[in-house]
Amino acid sequence: MPWLQLSLEAGAQDPEHLSDLFTGLGALSVTLVDAADEPVLEPGPGETPLWSRTRVVALFDAGIDPDAVRAGLARHIGEAAQRMTAEPLEDRDWTRAWLDDFAPMRFGERLWVIPGDMAPPEPDAVNLLLDPGLAFGTGTHPTTALCLSWLDAHPPAGRDVIDYGCGSGILAIAALKLGARRVRGVDIDPQALTASRDNARRNGVDAALSLFLPDELPAGPADLLLANILANPLIELAPTLVSLVRPGGRLVLSGILAAQADAVAAVYRPHGELEPVVEQDGWVRLVVRRPITPPDSARASSGLR
């Protein structure tokens, strides 16, 4: 069925209040979007990301009278309601539309991500089957691509791996298909754990993948930790993430804007050797190798000689 999309830039109005007004007037869904190309990438836990200019977009059945909605808004926000615009939105198979624009992608020399039921371009390569879902991570974003390329160049054969912030499970699955002994996936979103489990099952690697909320992650260090999250969480979680990697192991960190790289590197530098930074489309990957023996500062603070 077709829909009607009503949109209003918040201006001086509280966007969340406008969202509630649209909902009260019969909106089926309401979304807050950036109105000025000013992405807010790292809201705090429980916070709604708001921008200096926020647009409120409400979806209604096509039969709704936009003038009636405008009048309903005007009772609360006055003349500002006149800025509301209306746009018809035809119904589509959004999953199919997404797949139409998503072709198989290669990362490194032999790692492919294959959408839907498409045939792998290289059947003998390492092929991950992945459909769009509720969780982040399809390989299309530079942060994911940076991690996949690193895994292709450094296959974790026989290693224990942690995928911290597993999203769709794409990195965990790639690690397992590249020979990892086992992977522990961690995410704060239960939907991400469900998506990871389903994708791992589709790829035939679910037996070696265990999934946990952060507070449920069992103790025990890994040889490799992958964390494709964001700069602020990487900084805040640094002690936790470092403690999850055994001496000689590596942390592969992504989700970092180029302008944030120095701040993240400064936090991890005391914990190991930083490999050269790799940048793609304004995003960077940091790799930290933990020392076999503790750094001098850690030895001194622990009383080691």
Side-chain angles (χ1 to χ4, degrees):
M1 64 183 297
W3 313 92
L4 189 66
Q5 181 173 279
L6 304 183
S7 178
L8 176 63
E9 187 168 332
Q13 304 295 323
D14 178 2
E16 296 191 54
H17 177 56
L18 290 178
S19 176
D20 291 340
L21 292 178
F22 274 119
T23 300
L25 292 166
L28 302 173
S29 69
V30 182
T31 306
L32 306 183
V33 299
D34 174 25
D37 193 23
E38 180 197 5
V40 177
L41 295 171
E42 301 180 51
E47 295 179 357
T48 300
L50 297 179
W51 302 266
S52 58
R53 292 177 58 190
T54 301
R55 180 170 296 279
V56 183
V57 181
L59 190 67
F60 288 82
D61 284 331
I64 193 75
D65 180 358
D67 290 333
V69 175
R70 186 177 288 108
L73 290 174
R75 289 194 292 271
H76 299 274
I77 64 172
E79 293 184 0
Q82 300 307 311
R83 300 197 306 270
M84 188 195 81
T85 61
E87 178 185 4
L89 188 66
E90 292 300 319
D91 196 15
R92 300 176 66 188
D93 182 344
W94 294 106
T95 297
R96 177 49 50 191
W98 188 92
L99 286 172
D100 288 344
D101 295 329
F102 182 18
M105 296 175 292
R106 188 176 70 180
F107 302 91
E109 296 298 321
R110 57 176 180 146
L111 185 60
W112 286 82
V113 175
I114 313 295
D117 297 322
M118 296 182 182
E122 297 182 11
D124 295 332
V126 179
N127 294 304
L128 280 70
L129 308 178
L130 194 70
D131 280 343
L134 295 174
F136 174 83
T138 58
T140 57
H141 196 275
T143 61
T144 309
L146 285 164
C147 293
L148 290 170
S149 297
W150 189 92
L151 282 170
D152 178 79
H154 305 84
R159 304 296 181 90
D160 287 348
V161 178
I162 293 175
D163 181 2
Y164 206 100
C166 56
S168 67
I170 185 171
L171 300 183
I173 296 167
L176 288 166
K177 288 216 161 192
L178 289 166
R181 187 175 72 88
R182 65 164 181 160
V183 176
R184 284 171 281 169
V186 184
D187 207 287
I188 60 173
D189 185 355
Q191 288 184 332
L193 301 184
T194 299
S196 293
R197 182 176 297 107
D198 291 345
N199 286 327
R201 186 177 299 118
R202 182 178 183 191
N203 283 274
V205 295
D206 51 305
L209 176 64
S210 303
L211 296 161
F212 307 94
L213 295 169
D215 292 342
E216 299 171 351
L217 180 65
D223 302 298
L224 171 66
L225 181 137
L226 308 163
N228 179 23
I229 42 181
L230 291 167
N232 282 350
L234 286 173
I235 291 171
E236 294 169 5
L237 291 169
T240 297
L241 300 184
V242 169
S243 71
L244 293 172
V245 179
R246 60 174 47 96
R250 282 186 172 116
L251 297 90
V252 177
L253 312 174
S254 192
I256 307 163
L257 289 166
Q260 301 168 325
D262 288 344
V264 178
V267 173
Y268 285 88
R269 188 171 287 111
H271 300 288
E273 177 187 354
L274 269 64
E275 300 181 7
V277 172
V278 177
E279 181 176 344
Q280 180 176 330
D281 298 334
W283 297 88
V284 301
R285 181 187 69 218
L286 297 178
V287 178
V288 185
R289 182 193 290 271
R290 292 210 63 201
I292 299 296
T293 57
D296 290 342
S297 59
R299 292 166 64 90
S301 63
S302 63
L304 293 174
R305 295 292 184 268

